[in-house]
Amino acid sequence: MYHESIMAKGYSKTHVGHKRKNNQDSFLVDEDLQLYAVADGMGGHKGGEIASSISIEAFHSYLKEAVKKDDFTPELYLQLAFQSANTKVFKKSQENDKELLGMGTTLVACMIWKDKAFFANAGDSRAYLFRDSYLWRITEDHSIINNQLKNGLIETEQVSFLVNSNVITRSIGFFPDIQADIFQKDLVAKDQFLLCSDGLNEISDEKICELCKNYAPSVLPQECINNVLDGEGNDNITVVVVTP
């Protein structure tokens, strides 16, 4: 295990994909704050891009001030930062602009604090842990498909054939309040964390694991994206890799 002072490195890439006209993903790499995040926006011609950008900016801004507090704990303040982002996106969506009405965004984040990694998410952008040649999905998708999988209504093999398989059940900015899922992991030497938008879902977890084994963290985001682009590349793809 690590001791108190951990400094992680962050590596990131994003791509619009083959089918979209604009990139509605946003991401954050702040090595000074040890804070990393990915947001995948949705809504209208420009709403998704604005929602993801606002959420990342508000989330980042809130935590830059919060870490100065004597009572700072990641579990509490990540939740409050998600609410701050949610409030700003929701208020923006209520302005007199029909193109922004109903916009929202996913948000997944990682914060390295002392000897632990803390994660928060709302939506279906994901966080993974790669450790000892194995890949674990840390977060749980907030989506209709995932609910059906958990309840045994469908099998994993059916997912790619279903209509509206990407409909999410929780997002930043769609309702006035948000409840993020919070997770924590003890840090172990050579851990890698991978945050991504759902554009990466076009390749399997097994493929992501293989890429983690074969490529250095500094080039892993681009290699992940390349593998998606070798296929259909229907969506924007963003990957952030964090190595404590």
Side-chain angles (χ1 to χ4, degrees):
M1 296 293 178
Y2 282 102
H3 297 293
E4 290 247 326
S5 161
I6 315 292
M7 289 301 289
K9 292 284 292 180
Y11 306 94
S12 58
K13 288 290 181 181
T14 189
H15 195 284
V16 69
H18 293 313
K19 305 292 180 68
R20 300 293 179 91
K21 292 182 178 179
N22 63 329
N23 193 339
Q24 296 190 327
D25 290 354
S26 299
F27 65 90
L28 168 67
V29 173
D30 185 338
E31 292 178 346
D32 292 332
L33 199 57
Q34 291 291 282
L35 186 65
Y36 310 87
V38 170
D40 179 0
M42 59 219 149
H45 173 63
K46 61 180 180 178
E49 193 172 352
I50 291 172
S52 69
S53 177
I54 291 173
S55 71
I56 288 287
E57 182 180 348
F59 173 79
H60 190 199
S61 177
Y62 187 92
L63 283 169
K64 279 195 289 189
E65 295 304 313
V67 293
K68 301 173 186 178
K69 298 177 182 288
D70 292 336
D71 69 342
F72 181 82
T73 59
E75 301 97 320
L76 172 62
Y77 282 97
L78 280 169
Q79 189 72 252
L80 293 173
F82 264 59
Q83 181 58 50
S84 176
N86 186 81
T87 298
K88 293 197 173 172
V89 175
F90 182 77
K91 285 183 177 178
K92 185 70 175 177
S93 75
Q94 301 302 300
E95 292 179 359
N96 190 23
D97 185 340
K98 291 181 180 179
E99 289 189 342
L100 302 184
L101 186 64
M103 72 177 180
T105 181
T106 69
L107 183 59
V108 62
C110 170
M111 186 173 200
I112 308 297
W113 185 257
K114 297 183 178 178
D115 61 348
K116 298 183 186 299
F118 294 86
F119 302 87
N121 84 294
D124 63 354
S125 294
R126 294 175 178 172
Y128 291 91
L129 163 63
F130 179 70
R131 176 186 290 172
D132 297 331
S133 297
Y134 292 95
L135 186 76
W136 288 272
R137 198 181 300 176
I138 297 170
T139 54
E140 181 176 302
D141 292 352
H142 300 133
S143 67
I144 289 176
I145 283 292
N146 193 50
N147 288 346
Q148 291 175 327
L149 285 168
K150 287 198 309 180
N151 291 319
L153 300 175
I154 59 171
E155 300 295 331
T156 304
E157 295 77 14
Q158 297 174 274
V159 169
S160 59
F161 300 102
L162 297 176
V163 177
N164 295 326
S165 62
N166 62 341
V167 174
I168 63 174
T169 57
R170 199 185 308 182
S171 65
I172 299 287
F174 198 72
F175 295 109
D177 297 298
I178 188 69
Q179 182 71 28
D181 289 347
I182 306 290
F183 308 88
Q184 71 177 61
K185 296 285 183 184
D186 292 331
L187 293 175
V188 175
K190 298 183 180 179
D191 275 352
Q192 291 181 37
F193 302 111
L194 186 150
L195 309 180
C196 62
S197 60
D198 72 341
L200 192 63
N201 293 2
E202 288 190 23
I203 61 175
S204 66
D205 286 6
E206 290 76 16
K207 184 62 180 180
I208 297 170
C209 184
E210 179 186 325
L211 293 170
C212 290
K213 290 177 184 177
N214 292 333
Y215 292 97
S218 58
V219 298
L220 182 57
Q222 186 63 60
E223 290 299 331
C224 286
I225 289 172
N226 289 346
N227 271 263
V228 175
L229 296 177
D230 286 343
E232 293 186 356
N234 287 317
D235 203 353
N236 310 144
I237 318 117
T238 300
V239 179
V240 173
V241 172
V242 182
T243 57

